[in-house]
Amino acid sequence: MRVHATEQLPTDSTLLRNWKRWEAGSSEPDGFYKTLIAKTFGTVTAAFFPPATPHEADAALIAGTGMETVEILARLRSSDVSAATLEALRITADRLCCEYPYMASEQLRVEGRAWLRRITALMDRRLTLAQHQEVLSLAGWVALLVGCVEYDMGLRRIAEGTRKAALTLVSAPPEN
């Protein structure tokens, strides 16, 4: 996988642990790793990870089976992401920011980018509007941290691009 990676990957032990989780079916790789796995085996992503087919309920909804308006609106407000998941992301973003003065820059950059991929993968799931906004904001804050680390590493041009992109995502922190 390292041969085909365009960016630095986590340690061998972390990759192995992730690989075992993916093989066991306890989790699925995000888009970055799906593409990387396919490249490693010399094929396209869809060969290993075919696009999801719509659920039977979704097909019925699309077919216009007469679902009541209230039921349709309730589905729009539902979410696949729990409050605990969002709280864990908040804690992780805060932890990463707190580790800035202590962790090696390269390590913090790798971990920050790995968390950005995880956060980005959440965007493929069903989110409420408020959750969508929070996920974008958390991604923005982690991206700003990565941009600071890139700046510290002397990657000024990359850091500036990261900063500009991150600022389009970040919302002001809520006032207490």
Side-chain angles (χ1 to χ4, degrees):
M1 283 176 50
R2 292 191 191 287
V3 171
H4 300 284
T6 57
E7 58 186 65
Q8 187 172 358
L9 297 175
T11 63
D12 288 345
S13 62
T14 301
L15 279 175
L16 180 60
R17 187 172 51 250
N18 286 338
W19 191 274
K20 288 180 179 182
R21 287 184 312 130
W22 297 333
E23 281 185 332
S26 61
S27 70
E28 186 173 310
D30 62 21
F32 171 79
Y33 283 107
K34 285 179 180 180
T35 303
L36 189 56
I37 290 167
K39 282 182 185 177
T40 300
F41 289 99
T43 189
V44 295
T45 306
F48 281 111
F49 307 100
T53 56
H55 296 344
E56 190 173 305
D58 293 341
L61 178 64
I62 291 168
T65 60
M67 182 182 270
E68 295 297 321
T69 304
V70 174
E71 291 176 79
I72 294 169
L73 294 176
R75 282 184 54 99
L76 290 173
R77 287 189 304 268
S78 67
S79 171
D80 292 338
V81 178
S82 70
T85 299
L86 290 175
E87 181 63 20
L89 284 177
R90 281 185 226 104
I91 291 168
T92 300
D94 187 57
R95 178 188 57 85
L96 289 172
C97 291
C98 289
E99 289 177 349
Y100 176 77
Y102 309 105
M103 188 181 285
S105 294
E106 187 58 39
Q107 182 183 354
L108 186 55
R109 183 176 186 233
V110 168
E111 191 171 341
R113 291 173 78 176
W115 276 103
L116 278 174
R117 281 191 295 278
R118 290 181 187 112
I119 292 170
T120 301
L122 281 179
M123 297 302 291
D124 294 333
R125 297 175 63 186
R126 185 182 308 177
L127 300 168
T128 66
L129 183 59
Q131 288 175 328
H132 183 89
Q133 183 179 14
E134 182 165 11
V135 169
L136 287 175
S137 182
L138 287 168
W141 285 107
V142 173
L144 283 172
L145 171 68
V146 170
C148 288
V149 171
E150 289 169 342
Y151 187 86
D152 292 346
M153 295 171 67
L155 305 169
R156 306 290 196 259
R157 191 173 52 80
I158 293 170
E160 181 61 14
T162 301
R163 183 190 70 82
K164 286 180 179 177
L167 287 174
T168 66
L169 302 175
V170 176
S171 61
E175 294 183 22
N176 293 331

